[in-house]
Amino acid sequence: THALIQEGVEFASLAVAVVDEQHRFGVEQRDALRAKAEQPPHVLVMTATPIPRTVAMTVYGDLEVSTLTELPRGRSPIASHVVPAAEKPAFLDRAWQRLREEVGKGHQAYVVCPRIGSDSAEEDQPPSETDDDRRPPIAVLEVAPLLREGPLAGLRIGVLHGKLPADEKDSIMRAFAAGKLDVLVATTVIEVGVDVPNATVMVILDADRFGISQLHQLRGRVGRGSAPGLCLLVTEAFEGTPARERLDAVASTVDGFQLAELDLEQRREGDILGAAQSGRRSHVRLLSLLRDRELIGEAFAEAEALLQRDPLLQAHPLLAEATSRLVSEDRAEYLQKG
């Protein structure tokens, strides 16, 4: 875990560093692990949904990319659909029917909410991408009793969130994995590391309150066995709004890199010469990754060819001076941090 990067942890001879779930680590955190080696180690970062900065680094040429396009053995495809609850309330009723149908077949289900309860600041709550005055996000502790008494009455329902004691969380997950619960109503604590092959359907409430990468990670909790997975993205966002377009895009593909491109388009690449992993603030003044991708590729090829011919840039003193100024600043270090 992150404990590896704290002070006092030393390696005898660190040669390879593999960082899984890359989007959960900051630039400085990933670099801190690499800094524990006497010589720069080989670094492999893995993620289902690359962060905007990572996509940018692949374009600028500082990261080599390998893409795994096949599902792991034993996995089944996942179908995703947007459920427009405000426009078509009957679609939400049908979503609960589909969940009951899956449970009737002997399978299990997740219901995911963006909030735990009525508290405003909670560790499980995803960051809001807008500053609007919409109603508070749907909460686990409010939804669970409504489901027990309403559309999911009679099913065995458990509740899981980050504020539960560790032993209680473990107990609930073990019960769900053992098939003692039909439905798990949870926050994003199930986003990573949960593997229950018998879970085939996920209903994400207020899906527009989650980011693209979170939605992609969450739906990866279903379809992990021989039965196909189903992910239902419930939203009150109307057709044509940016939030709805984002959900439509998530529903249209399970290609994490394609979703990362969309994330890049919406959130921008952050600062490749700084620690920001997304956003519009950048030390790069003139280039736009979205607009100038082809030009950046051509420039990279030209730079490589030039350095092969003239490694010290002796024939290009002005370029050498400008490069030297950049390298002497802390900003240049970020090109190596990934």
Side-chain angles (χ1 to χ4, degrees), residues 43 152 278:
V43 178
L152 303 186
S278 64

Side-chain angles (χ1 to χ4, degrees), residues 41-53:
H42 299 288
V43 178
L44 174 64
V45 294
M46 302 195 299
T47 180
T49 47
I51 54 178
R53 173 191 169 87

